[in-house]
Short mmCIF file of all heavy atoms in Angstrom, two decimals:
data_model
loop_
_atom_site.label_atom_id
_atom_site.label_comp_id
_atom_site.label_asym_id
_atom_site.label_seq_id
_atom_site.Cartn_x
_atom_site.Cartn_y
_atom_site.Cartn_z
N MET A 1 -21.98 -2.19 6.61
CA MET A 1 -21.33 -0.85 6.75
C MET A 1 -20.08 -0.77 5.86
O MET A 1 -19.23 -1.64 5.85
CB MET A 1 -21.03 -0.64 8.26
CG MET A 1 -20.35 0.64 8.49
SD MET A 1 -20.02 0.83 10.24
CE MET A 1 -19.03 2.21 10.28
N THR A 2 -20.00 0.26 5.08
CA THR A 2 -18.83 0.49 4.23
C THR A 2 -17.87 1.46 4.88
O THR A 2 -18.31 2.33 5.71
CB THR A 2 -19.19 0.95 2.86
OG1 THR A 2 -19.92 2.25 2.96
CG2 THR A 2 -20.21 -0.06 2.18
N VAL A 3 -16.63 1.37 4.60
CA VAL A 3 -15.66 2.34 5.18
C VAL A 3 -15.32 3.24 4.03
O VAL A 3 -14.86 2.87 2.91
CB VAL A 3 -14.45 1.58 5.54
CG1 VAL A 3 -13.29 2.44 6.01
CG2 VAL A 3 -14.71 0.59 6.69
N ASP A 4 -15.33 4.60 4.33
CA ASP A 4 -14.94 5.58 3.47
C ASP A 4 -13.50 5.78 3.51
O ASP A 4 -12.98 6.29 4.62
CB ASP A 4 -15.76 6.95 3.82
CG ASP A 4 -15.35 8.07 2.90
OD1 ASP A 4 -14.60 7.86 1.92
OD2 ASP A 4 -15.88 9.14 3.04
N PRO A 5 -12.62 5.53 2.57
CA PRO A 5 -11.22 5.66 2.72
C PRO A 5 -10.71 6.99 2.86
O PRO A 5 -9.69 7.27 3.49
CB PRO A 5 -10.70 5.08 1.34
CG PRO A 5 -11.76 4.53 0.58
CD PRO A 5 -13.06 4.96 1.28
N ILE A 6 -11.49 8.00 2.55
CA ILE A 6 -11.09 9.38 2.71
C ILE A 6 -11.28 9.70 4.30
O ILE A 6 -10.43 10.45 4.90
CB ILE A 6 -11.99 10.35 1.89
CG1 ILE A 6 -11.81 10.09 0.41
CG2 ILE A 6 -11.61 11.79 2.28
CD1 ILE A 6 -10.43 10.16 -0.11
N ALA A 7 -12.25 9.16 4.89
CA ALA A 7 -12.50 9.41 6.24
C ALA A 7 -11.59 8.56 7.16
O ALA A 7 -11.40 8.91 8.40
CB ALA A 7 -13.98 9.09 6.57
N ASP A 8 -11.05 7.49 6.68
CA ASP A 8 -10.17 6.62 7.41
C ASP A 8 -8.90 6.46 6.71
O ASP A 8 -8.72 5.62 5.90
CB ASP A 8 -10.89 5.30 7.63
CG ASP A 8 -10.06 4.28 8.64
OD1 ASP A 8 -9.00 4.69 8.94
OD2 ASP A 8 -10.57 3.25 8.90
N PRO A 9 -7.85 7.22 7.08
CA PRO A 9 -6.51 7.28 6.39
C PRO A 9 -5.89 5.83 6.54
O PRO A 9 -5.21 5.37 5.66
CB PRO A 9 -5.66 8.30 7.14
CG PRO A 9 -6.69 9.23 7.79
CD PRO A 9 -7.87 8.36 8.06
N ARG A 10 -6.10 5.11 7.54
CA ARG A 10 -5.54 3.68 7.67
C ARG A 10 -6.12 2.79 6.56
O ARG A 10 -5.46 2.04 5.95
CB ARG A 10 -5.74 3.19 9.03
CG ARG A 10 -4.83 3.83 10.15
CD ARG A 10 -4.97 3.10 11.36
NE ARG A 10 -4.53 1.77 11.39
CZ ARG A 10 -3.27 1.32 11.41
NH1 ARG A 10 -2.32 2.15 11.41
NH2 ARG A 10 -3.09 0.08 11.34
N ALA A 11 -7.40 2.98 6.41
CA ALA A 11 -8.06 2.06 5.41
C ALA A 11 -7.51 2.54 4.03
O ALA A 11 -7.33 1.66 3.15
CB ALA A 11 -9.59 2.29 5.39
N ALA A 12 -7.36 3.71 3.78
CA ALA A 12 -6.82 4.19 2.50
C ALA A 12 -5.41 3.63 2.19
O ALA A 12 -4.99 3.21 1.17
CB ALA A 12 -6.76 5.62 2.43
N LEU A 13 -4.60 3.67 3.26
CA LEU A 13 -3.15 3.17 3.20
C LEU A 13 -3.16 1.65 2.96
O LEU A 13 -2.45 1.11 2.17
CB LEU A 13 -2.36 3.42 4.41
CG LEU A 13 -1.72 4.78 4.55
CD1 LEU A 13 -0.97 4.93 5.87
CD2 LEU A 13 -0.68 4.91 3.42
N GLN A 14 -4.10 0.94 3.63
CA GLN A 14 -4.23 -0.50 3.42
C GLN A 14 -4.63 -0.87 2.05
O GLN A 14 -4.08 -1.76 1.40
CB GLN A 14 -5.19 -1.10 4.39
CG GLN A 14 -4.69 -1.04 5.84
CD GLN A 14 -5.66 -1.40 6.89
OE1 GLN A 14 -7.01 -1.21 6.64
NE2 GLN A 14 -5.35 -1.88 8.03
N GLN A 15 -5.56 -0.08 1.47
CA GLN A 15 -6.07 -0.27 0.12
C GLN A 15 -4.89 -0.02 -0.87
O GLN A 15 -4.60 -0.74 -1.82
CB GLN A 15 -7.26 0.52 -0.19
CG GLN A 15 -7.83 0.31 -1.59
CD GLN A 15 -8.35 -1.08 -1.76
OE1 GLN A 15 -8.79 -1.69 -0.88
NE2 GLN A 15 -8.25 -1.63 -2.93
N ALA A 16 -4.19 1.05 -0.57
CA ALA A 16 -3.05 1.46 -1.45
C ALA A 16 -1.95 0.38 -1.47
O ALA A 16 -1.40 0.07 -2.51
CB ALA A 16 -2.44 2.85 -1.05
N VAL A 17 -1.77 -0.23 -0.30
CA VAL A 17 -0.63 -1.31 -0.26
C VAL A 17 -1.10 -2.54 -1.15
O VAL A 17 -0.28 -3.05 -1.88
CB VAL A 17 -0.43 -1.78 1.26
CG1 VAL A 17 0.31 -3.16 1.33
CG2 VAL A 17 0.27 -0.66 1.97
N ALA A 18 -2.35 -2.88 -0.94
CA ALA A 18 -2.92 -3.97 -1.86
C ALA A 18 -2.86 -3.67 -3.30
O ALA A 18 -2.35 -4.51 -4.08
CB ALA A 18 -4.37 -4.18 -1.42
N GLU A 19 -3.27 -2.39 -3.74
CA GLU A 19 -3.19 -2.13 -5.08
C GLU A 19 -1.80 -1.97 -5.70
O GLU A 19 -1.54 -2.38 -6.80
CB GLU A 19 -4.00 -0.81 -5.29
CG GLU A 19 -5.53 -1.04 -5.04
CD GLU A 19 -6.39 0.10 -5.43
OE1 GLU A 19 -5.87 1.08 -6.09
OE2 GLU A 19 -7.46 0.24 -4.89
N LEU A 20 -0.84 -1.39 -4.83
CA LEU A 20 0.56 -1.28 -5.36
C LEU A 20 1.13 -2.67 -5.48
O LEU A 20 1.86 -2.89 -6.35
CB LEU A 20 1.36 -0.45 -4.39
CG LEU A 20 1.07 1.06 -4.40
CD1 LEU A 20 1.69 1.80 -3.19
CD2 LEU A 20 1.67 1.70 -5.68
N SER A 21 0.88 -3.54 -4.59
CA SER A 21 1.43 -4.86 -4.58
C SER A 21 0.85 -5.70 -5.85
O SER A 21 1.56 -6.28 -6.50
CB SER A 21 1.04 -5.67 -3.36
OG SER A 21 1.61 -5.13 -2.18
N PHE A 22 -0.41 -5.54 -6.12
CA PHE A 22 -0.98 -6.16 -7.27
C PHE A 22 -0.26 -5.63 -8.56
O PHE A 22 0.04 -6.37 -9.44
CB PHE A 22 -2.48 -5.87 -7.29
CG PHE A 22 -3.21 -6.47 -8.56
CD1 PHE A 22 -3.49 -7.79 -8.60
CD2 PHE A 22 -3.47 -5.57 -9.67
CE1 PHE A 22 -4.07 -8.29 -9.79
CE2 PHE A 22 -4.04 -6.08 -10.79
CZ PHE A 22 -4.33 -7.49 -10.85
N GLU A 23 -0.20 -4.28 -8.60
CA GLU A 23 0.34 -3.68 -9.79
C GLU A 23 1.80 -4.07 -10.03
O GLU A 23 2.32 -4.36 -11.13
CB GLU A 23 0.29 -2.16 -9.78
CG GLU A 23 0.79 -1.41 -11.02
CD GLU A 23 0.03 -1.87 -12.31
OE1 GLU A 23 -1.08 -2.22 -12.23
OE2 GLU A 23 0.66 -1.67 -13.37
N ALA A 24 2.54 -4.16 -8.88
CA ALA A 24 3.94 -4.62 -8.97
C ALA A 24 4.01 -6.03 -9.62
O ALA A 24 4.91 -6.42 -10.46
CB ALA A 24 4.56 -4.72 -7.57
N GLY A 25 3.07 -6.94 -9.15
CA GLY A 25 2.94 -8.29 -9.80
C GLY A 25 2.66 -8.21 -11.27
O GLY A 25 3.33 -8.97 -12.11
N GLN A 26 1.91 -7.29 -11.70
CA GLN A 26 1.51 -7.18 -13.11
C GLN A 26 2.75 -6.61 -13.92
O GLN A 26 2.92 -7.02 -14.96
CB GLN A 26 0.29 -6.24 -13.31
CG GLN A 26 -0.94 -6.64 -12.55
CD GLN A 26 -1.51 -7.85 -13.34
OE1 GLN A 26 -1.70 -7.87 -14.50
NE2 GLN A 26 -1.80 -8.87 -12.54
N GLN A 27 3.54 -5.78 -13.32
CA GLN A 27 4.69 -5.20 -13.99
C GLN A 27 5.89 -6.01 -13.97
O GLN A 27 6.81 -5.76 -14.72
CB GLN A 27 5.01 -3.83 -13.38
CG GLN A 27 3.96 -2.78 -13.43
CD GLN A 27 3.91 -2.17 -14.77
OE1 GLN A 27 4.84 -1.96 -15.44
NE2 GLN A 27 2.68 -1.78 -15.18
N ALA A 28 6.02 -6.95 -13.12
CA ALA A 28 7.24 -7.76 -12.86
C ALA A 28 7.88 -8.40 -14.14
O ALA A 28 9.05 -8.28 -14.28
CB ALA A 28 6.98 -8.93 -11.83
N ALA A 29 7.06 -8.96 -15.02
CA ALA A 29 7.64 -9.61 -16.21
C ALA A 29 8.09 -8.54 -17.25
O ALA A 29 9.17 -8.78 -17.91
CB ALA A 29 6.60 -10.48 -16.84
N THR A 30 7.46 -7.39 -17.31
CA THR A 30 7.78 -6.46 -18.44
C THR A 30 8.67 -5.27 -17.95
O THR A 30 9.43 -4.74 -18.81
CB THR A 30 6.62 -5.87 -19.02
OG1 THR A 30 5.73 -5.23 -18.08
CG2 THR A 30 5.70 -6.95 -19.77
N ASP A 31 8.55 -5.00 -16.70
CA ASP A 31 9.36 -3.84 -16.14
C ASP A 31 9.69 -4.08 -14.69
O ASP A 31 9.10 -3.53 -13.75
CB ASP A 31 8.50 -2.58 -16.23
CG ASP A 31 9.29 -1.28 -16.07
OD1 ASP A 31 10.51 -1.42 -15.57
OD2 ASP A 31 8.74 -0.17 -16.30
N PRO A 32 10.69 -4.97 -14.59
CA PRO A 32 11.14 -5.40 -13.18
C PRO A 32 11.63 -4.19 -12.31
O PRO A 32 11.34 -4.21 -11.07
CB PRO A 32 12.28 -6.38 -13.39
CG PRO A 32 12.53 -6.41 -14.79
CD PRO A 32 11.49 -5.57 -15.55
N GLU A 33 12.25 -3.20 -12.87
CA GLU A 33 12.60 -2.02 -12.05
C GLU A 33 11.36 -1.23 -11.54
O GLU A 33 11.44 -0.86 -10.39
CB GLU A 33 13.49 -1.08 -12.91
CG GLU A 33 14.92 -1.58 -13.22
CD GLU A 33 15.72 -0.58 -13.97
OE1 GLU A 33 15.37 0.54 -14.00
OE2 GLU A 33 16.69 -1.04 -14.53
N ARG A 34 10.45 -1.15 -12.28
CA ARG A 34 9.21 -0.51 -11.88
C ARG A 34 8.51 -1.25 -10.79
O ARG A 34 8.03 -0.80 -9.88
CB ARG A 34 8.25 -0.26 -13.06
CG ARG A 34 6.89 0.33 -12.72
CD ARG A 34 6.99 1.82 -12.50
NE ARG A 34 5.67 2.35 -12.27
CZ ARG A 34 5.50 3.52 -11.69
NH1 ARG A 34 6.60 4.16 -11.24
NH2 ARG A 34 4.26 3.91 -11.54
N ALA A 35 8.48 -2.66 -11.03
CA ALA A 35 7.95 -3.52 -10.03
C ALA A 35 8.59 -3.49 -8.72
O ALA A 35 7.99 -3.36 -7.67
CB ALA A 35 7.94 -5.00 -10.50
N GLU A 36 9.92 -3.37 -8.72
CA GLU A 36 10.75 -3.27 -7.49
C GLU A 36 10.37 -1.91 -6.79
O GLU A 36 10.24 -1.92 -5.54
CB GLU A 36 12.22 -3.34 -7.82
CG GLU A 36 13.06 -3.32 -6.68
CD GLU A 36 14.60 -3.51 -6.93
OE1 GLU A 36 14.81 -3.93 -8.08
OE2 GLU A 36 15.40 -3.12 -6.19
N TYR A 37 10.25 -0.87 -7.55
CA TYR A 37 9.86 0.42 -6.95
C TYR A 37 8.56 0.33 -6.30
O TYR A 37 8.43 0.87 -5.16
CB TYR A 37 9.96 1.47 -8.06
CG TYR A 37 9.39 2.78 -7.56
CD1 TYR A 37 10.30 3.58 -6.81
CD2 TYR A 37 8.19 3.32 -7.86
CE1 TYR A 37 9.75 4.86 -6.26
CE2 TYR A 37 7.63 4.46 -7.47
CZ TYR A 37 8.42 5.25 -6.64
OH TYR A 37 8.08 6.47 -6.18
N LEU A 38 7.54 -0.22 -7.03
CA LEU A 38 6.24 -0.27 -6.44
C LEU A 38 6.10 -1.07 -5.12
O LEU A 38 5.59 -0.75 -4.23
CB LEU A 38 5.25 -0.84 -7.46
CG LEU A 38 4.99 0.01 -8.78
CD1 LEU A 38 4.15 -0.72 -9.77
CD2 LEU A 38 4.29 1.35 -8.24
N MET A 39 7.02 -2.15 -5.07
CA MET A 39 6.99 -3.05 -4.01
C MET A 39 7.70 -2.25 -2.78
O MET A 39 7.28 -2.45 -1.63
CB MET A 39 7.67 -4.39 -4.15
CG MET A 39 6.77 -5.31 -4.86
SD MET A 39 5.14 -5.64 -4.14
CE MET A 39 5.60 -6.20 -2.54
N ALA A 40 8.68 -1.48 -3.10
CA ALA A 40 9.39 -0.74 -2.06
C ALA A 40 8.41 0.28 -1.43
O ALA A 40 8.36 0.44 -0.24
CB ALA A 40 10.58 -0.05 -2.63
N VAL A 41 7.57 0.99 -2.26
CA VAL A 41 6.57 1.91 -1.79
C VAL A 41 5.51 1.16 -0.97
O VAL A 41 5.22 1.60 0.13
CB VAL A 41 5.95 2.63 -2.98
CG1 VAL A 41 4.76 3.49 -2.46
CG2 VAL A 41 6.96 3.56 -3.67
N ALA A 42 5.08 0.05 -1.43
CA ALA A 42 4.09 -0.72 -0.60
C ALA A 42 4.69 -1.17 0.73
O ALA A 42 3.97 -1.16 1.71
CB ALA A 42 3.59 -1.97 -1.43
N SER A 43 5.88 -1.59 0.73
CA SER A 43 6.52 -2.06 1.92
C SER A 43 6.59 -0.93 2.95
O SER A 43 6.38 -1.03 4.13
CB SER A 43 7.91 -2.61 1.63
OG SER A 43 8.55 -2.98 2.75
N THR A 44 7.03 0.28 2.45
CA THR A 44 7.14 1.39 3.34
C THR A 44 5.79 1.75 3.93
O THR A 44 5.62 2.10 5.14
CB THR A 44 7.66 2.63 2.51
OG1 THR A 44 8.93 2.31 2.02
CG2 THR A 44 7.79 3.81 3.46
N MET A 45 4.71 1.71 3.15
CA MET A 45 3.36 2.02 3.69
C MET A 45 2.95 0.92 4.69
O MET A 45 2.36 1.21 5.71
CB MET A 45 2.45 1.98 2.50
CG MET A 45 2.44 3.28 1.67
SD MET A 45 1.12 3.08 0.39
CE MET A 45 1.35 4.70 -0.38
N ALA A 46 3.21 -0.30 4.35
CA ALA A 46 2.91 -1.41 5.31
C ALA A 46 3.72 -1.30 6.65
O ALA A 46 3.08 -1.49 7.70
CB ALA A 46 3.24 -2.76 4.66
N GLU A 47 4.93 -0.86 6.59
CA GLU A 47 5.74 -0.61 7.88
C GLU A 47 5.07 0.53 8.63
O GLU A 47 5.01 0.48 9.86
CB GLU A 47 7.18 -0.29 7.49
CG GLU A 47 7.94 -1.55 6.99
CD GLU A 47 9.28 -1.11 6.42
OE1 GLU A 47 9.78 -0.01 6.53
OE2 GLU A 47 9.89 -2.01 5.82
N THR A 48 4.67 1.63 7.89
CA THR A 48 3.95 2.68 8.57
C THR A 48 2.71 2.20 9.36
O THR A 48 2.46 2.59 10.52
CB THR A 48 3.66 3.80 7.59
OG1 THR A 48 4.83 4.30 6.98
CG2 THR A 48 2.96 4.92 8.28
N LEU A 49 1.92 1.34 8.68
CA LEU A 49 0.70 0.81 9.30
C LEU A 49 1.03 0.08 10.52
O LEU A 49 0.33 0.13 11.53
CB LEU A 49 0.01 -0.03 8.23
CG LEU A 49 -0.76 0.72 7.18
CD1 LEU A 49 -1.24 -0.16 6.04
CD2 LEU A 49 -1.97 1.45 7.88
N GLN A 50 2.11 -0.74 10.37
CA GLN A 50 2.47 -1.54 11.56
C GLN A 50 2.93 -0.73 12.75
O GLN A 50 2.54 -1.00 13.86
CB GLN A 50 3.62 -2.61 11.19
CG GLN A 50 3.20 -3.62 10.36
CD GLN A 50 4.29 -4.60 9.97
OE1 GLN A 50 5.40 -4.30 9.87
NE2 GLN A 50 3.95 -5.88 9.91
N ARG A 51 3.79 0.31 12.49
CA ARG A 51 4.28 1.19 13.51
C ARG A 51 3.16 1.98 14.22
O ARG A 51 3.19 2.20 15.46
CB ARG A 51 5.28 2.18 12.99
CG ARG A 51 6.56 1.62 12.78
CD ARG A 51 7.64 2.77 12.53
NE ARG A 51 7.20 3.79 11.76
CZ ARG A 51 7.35 3.95 10.44
NH1 ARG A 51 8.03 2.97 9.73
NH2 ARG A 51 6.94 4.90 9.76
N THR A 52 2.15 2.34 13.41
CA THR A 52 1.08 3.15 13.99
C THR A 52 -0.09 2.37 14.56
O THR A 52 -1.05 2.98 15.02
CB THR A 52 0.54 4.13 12.98
OG1 THR A 52 0.01 3.42 11.86
CG2 THR A 52 1.67 5.08 12.59
N ALA A 53 -0.07 1.02 14.33
CA ALA A 53 -1.24 0.24 14.82
C ALA A 53 -1.45 0.24 16.29
O ALA A 53 -2.57 0.42 16.81
CB ALA A 53 -1.06 -1.24 14.38
N ALA A 54 -0.45 0.29 17.15
CA ALA A 54 -0.53 0.36 18.61
C ALA A 54 -1.10 1.63 19.11
O ALA A 54 -1.76 1.73 20.10
CB ALA A 54 0.82 0.10 19.16
N ALA A 55 -0.84 2.74 18.33
CA ALA A 55 -1.30 4.08 18.76
C ALA A 55 -2.83 4.21 18.42
O ALA A 55 -3.39 5.18 19.02
CB ALA A 55 -0.59 5.09 17.91
N ARG A 56 -3.41 3.30 17.71
CA ARG A 56 -4.91 3.49 17.46
C ARG A 56 -5.66 2.94 18.62
O ARG A 56 -5.43 1.88 19.13
CB ARG A 56 -5.11 2.64 16.19
CG ARG A 56 -6.58 2.92 15.69
CD ARG A 56 -6.70 2.33 14.25
NE ARG A 56 -7.98 2.85 13.75
CZ ARG A 56 -8.61 2.23 12.87
NH1 ARG A 56 -8.14 1.09 12.38
NH2 ARG A 56 -9.73 2.67 12.38
N PRO A 57 -6.68 3.73 19.04
CA PRO A 57 -7.52 3.30 20.23
C PRO A 57 -8.36 2.04 19.89
O PRO A 57 -8.73 1.76 18.78
CB PRO A 57 -8.31 4.43 20.50
CG PRO A 57 -8.36 5.38 19.38
CD PRO A 57 -7.02 4.99 18.55
#
């Protein structure tokens, strides 16, 4: 069974966190400011996922 990220916003956020984190790692050597920004966005999304996990049935 596959998960449709459009149908499951949590899955979409989890995927975005992974992709942003990966991209931050790719950018770290050449553009550390951009990498820091991407990690901050990923961190904010991860915190949102943690806060809302208990509310999910």
Side-chain angles (χ1 to χ4, degrees):
M1 178 176 171
T2 59
V3 175
D4 180 1
I6 301 302
D8 186 354
R10 288 186 59 78
L13 277 177
Q14 289 168 337
Q15 184 64 34
V17 168
E19 291 183 21
L20 286 167
S21 298
F22 177 81
E23 185 60 26
Q26 297 293 307
Q27 296 282 327
T30 57
D31 193 350
E33 286 182 20
R34 177 77 174 158
E36 185 177 336
Y37 172 77
L38 292 171
M39 281 308 300
V41 172
S43 178
T44 299
M45 287 182 174
E47 289 170 7
T48 300
L49 285 166
Q50 286 180 330
R51 280 196 318 270
T52 60
R56 190 169 190 204

